[in-house]
Amino acid sequence: MPAEGPSPPSIQPLGDSALRIAAPNPALVRHAILAAPPAGLLDLVCGHHTLAAIFSPGIDLARAAAAIAPALARQDLAPCHPPRTIDIPTLYGGPSGPDLLPLASSLGLSPQALIDLHASASYTVRFMGFAPGFAYLEGLPAQLRVQRLDSPRPRVPAGTVAIAGPYSGIYPADSPGGWRLLGRTNLTLFDPLAASPTLLQPGDRVRFIPTRVPTP
Amino acid sequence: MTALRVITPGLQSSIQDLGRPGFASLGVAPSGAADHLSLRIANRLVGNPDHSATIECTLSGDTFRAEGAARVALAGADASPLIRRAGSTLAVPLFQPFTLLPGDELVLGPILSGCRLYLAIAGGVDTPPVLASRSAHLAAAFPNLTGRPLREGDSIPIGAPTPPPRSTPDPASLRRFIAAHSLRTTFRVLPGPDAALIPPEHAPAIFDSHLTVSARSSRVGVRLVGGPACTHPPRTSEPTPPGAVQRTPEGELILLGPERPVTGGYPLVASVIAADIPAIGQLRPGARARLAPITLDAARTLLIDQQQALDALLPPLPA
């Protein structure tokens, strides 16, 4: 795993049709590459420490790596939209958050203390992924850092608020999921017919607002 | 413009084309045909461009009624389809175009080996595209037929047909091509970025061992069970390329499919090469599969050879 710090981005093959670029801030590298996208580029996806440049199959990866090398040398581009703050009304616990009680118990917290910790933090969208409209939210209090489940649940309902590792997140649609489930919101996280299909975008600030009933 | 009506749905049939690359940064997987080689063959047999939308059937096919005449073709896993026409039944072939008359019922029936069968209709399925593709994304909240499998009563609109190809090859040659490329069960793999997390004593149980396809497999990923359990250190969520192989702490290997999560936290221990990705879509529960390491140069040669072999058998329509 790459270390955090000022080391320059490194490029390696990721399978036979993609490159893996390790960088301290993948989003900035993404902007730099998109300013002059190389031939055959299909997708440019950020993760926490790396981004993947996915190409049409059959690409010469050595040539593709050479084509994006100049973009990696310059990281002077800034994210392109101003941060917004988005409130997420959340019903914690009960059937909406089946992991709240066992997690509170294993962390030595009362359920209310766990809710207060999760809802009092201020989060930032670091990157999108996992599922359409799913935002990885940084800012989870250190006490709440827990591992994901050993085996994912086959189905987690849409709107479920969850935590795993250093992140919180919200499942935009019913899907399999390995995170610990704390509660649920009624907000729509992903609408593929909207001009902007995702409620959240990288850089957005997010707050969870505890409610008794999820509000539409 | 004609339509197909779903009389009896299959186990999980959906509209699929070549998918929607370009939206992974919003968390949107490309979706698209799980076996794009079979999709391309079915499309080329009826004179469609490769990117036309088809119907992808899983383990069992649907029964459709033709609301008008249509030229169609089937390609992929083995089945024994038939047509019910005016009180009689006719067997219909795979890998060869044929015509449905108005009122015909096309009965695709169970899929006998492999997992997926593709039905292409001249003119292509003509549902409204969402994010530049007609492909269903079953794991996400997409509208109408882009968000769910086919159901009884669905009417599937068909576009205006393009001219048929001048000639089509011997169906046996196409069947052999699919057997070799889409129905293979040895998957050539390259090492993943987390390959070092595999303890050396586990490598023989992961590579060059026969693993079993779990019933918990889907278009998201095909799970191979039978390998040893292993606790990995926590890892951040990072992008998953096409064909990526994740390893869960329970020791399952997940060969990620067209609806893969575009980032994930399980270690990426390997990547299936592009030439063998269509065969992931043809693994049925209970089948045995094996991962075999290969080099990057060999992977590229295999892909180029595969593309050339397909185009030599059945050329694509000029774009």
Side-chain angles (χ1 to χ4, degrees), chain B:
Chain B
M1 179 150 134
T2 186
L4 290 184
R5 178 78 65 179
V6 180
I7 305 298
T8 311
L11 187 64
Q12 189 193 69
S13 301
S14 64
I15 308 300
Q16 296 296 338
D17 55 20
L18 288 174
R20 54 174 68 77
F23 299 96
S25 60
L26 301 181
V28 181
S31 201
D35 171 8
H36 72 86
L37 293 173
S38 294
L39 170 135
R40 287 175 201 270
I41 287 175
N43 269 329
R44 291 178 191 187
L45 285 171
V46 296
N48 286 345
D50 282 6
H51 60 76
S52 289
T54 66
I55 297 167
E56 176 185 274
C57 307
T58 307
L59 292 174
S60 78
D62 317 64
T63 298
F64 299 101
R65 188 174 61 234
E67 314 240 293
R71 192 169 66 250
V72 303
L74 292 161
D78 201 22
S80 299
L82 52 89
I83 292 174
R84 291 198 196 112
R85 175 181 295 167
S88 60
T89 30
L90 315 161
V92 289
L94 266 59
F95 300 109
Q96 197 173 351
F98 56 95
T99 300
L100 294 176
L101 301 178
D104 277 0
E105 282 188 14
L106 174 62
V107 183
L108 297 180
I111 287 167
L112 306 170
S113 64
C115 190
R116 291 188 169 89
L117 180 65
Y118 292 82
L119 171 65
I121 307 102
V125 172
D126 195 23
T127 46
V130 175
L131 300 179
S133 164
R134 295 180 170 87
S135 283
H137 188 326
L138 302 177
F142 276 59
N144 304 318
L145 289 180
T146 54
R148 65 170 175 84
L150 300 183
R151 292 183 196 143
E152 181 181 337
D154 280 339
S155 178
I156 301 162
I158 307 302
T162 42
R166 258 178 304 218
S167 67
T168 59
D170 175 13
S173 63
L174 294 173
R175 186 183 292 272
R176 277 195 301 273
F177 176 86
I178 287 300
H181 293 273
S182 292
L183 299 177
R184 55 180 301 116
T185 56
T186 297
F187 292 81
R188 278 77 58 101
V189 296
L190 296 164
D194 305 309
L197 294 179
I198 299 178
E201 67 272 22
H202 286 183
I206 294 173
F207 301 109
D208 293 314
S209 284
H210 288 280
L211 300 165
T212 303
V213 178
S214 159
R216 290 173 66 210
S217 297
S218 69
R219 287 175 43 81
V220 174
V222 169
R223 289 163 180 265
L224 302 181
V225 296
C230 175
T231 305
H232 303 293
R235 170 190 177 281
T236 53
S237 280
E238 303 297 343
T240 55
V245 180
Q246 293 178 324
R247 190 179 191 212
T248 71
E250 291 177 333
E252 288 181 339
L253 297 176
I254 307 177
L255 314 185
L256 292 174
E259 296 191 21
R260 70 183 193 274
V262 297
T263 62
Y266 291 123
L268 298 181
V269 295
S271 272
V272 173
I273 66 169
D276 291 353
I277 287 177
I280 299 175
Q282 291 290 3
L283 283 175
R284 66 191 282 147
R288 306 275 269 169
R290 190 166 69 91
L291 305 184
I294 196 178
T295 65
L296 186 55
D297 283 347
R300 185 154 180 258
T301 304
L302 285 166
L303 183 80
I304 291 166
D305 289 352
Q306 181 184 74
Q307 287 171 339
Q308 288 175 347
L310 176 59
D311 292 352
L313 278 171
L314 188 58
L317 228 65

Side-chain angles (χ1 to χ4, degrees), chain A residues 14-16 20 30 42-43 45-50 52 57-59 127-133 136 148-152 174 190 192, chain B residues 21-27 130 139-142 190 193 216 223 236-239 241 249-250 261 263 265-266 271 273-274 300 303:
Chain A
L14 183 61
D16 61 355
R20 175 182 185 270
R30 181 170 187 274
L42 296 180
D43 268 307
V45 196
C46 290
H48 193 94
H49 287 302
T50 67
I59 191 90
F127 62 99
M128 309 291 293
F130 169 64
Y136 285 79
R148 54 174 65 75
L149 300 173
D150 282 352
S151 186
D174 293 359
F190 178 69
Chain B
F23 299 96
S25 60
L26 301 181
V130 175
F142 276 59
L190 296 164
R216 290 173 66 210
R223 289 163 180 265
T236 53
S237 280
E238 303 297 343
E250 291 177 333
T263 62
Y266 291 123
S271 272
I273 66 169
R300 185 154 180 258
L303 183 80

Side-chain angles (χ1 to χ4, degrees), chain A residues 33 52 55 64 74 90 97-98 130 142 148 157 163 167 173 181 187 196:
Chain A
I33 293 172
F55 293 90
R74 55 182 287 250
T90 303
F130 169 64
R148 54 174 65 75
I163 58 175
Y167 316 112
L181 313 183
L187 290 182
S196 175

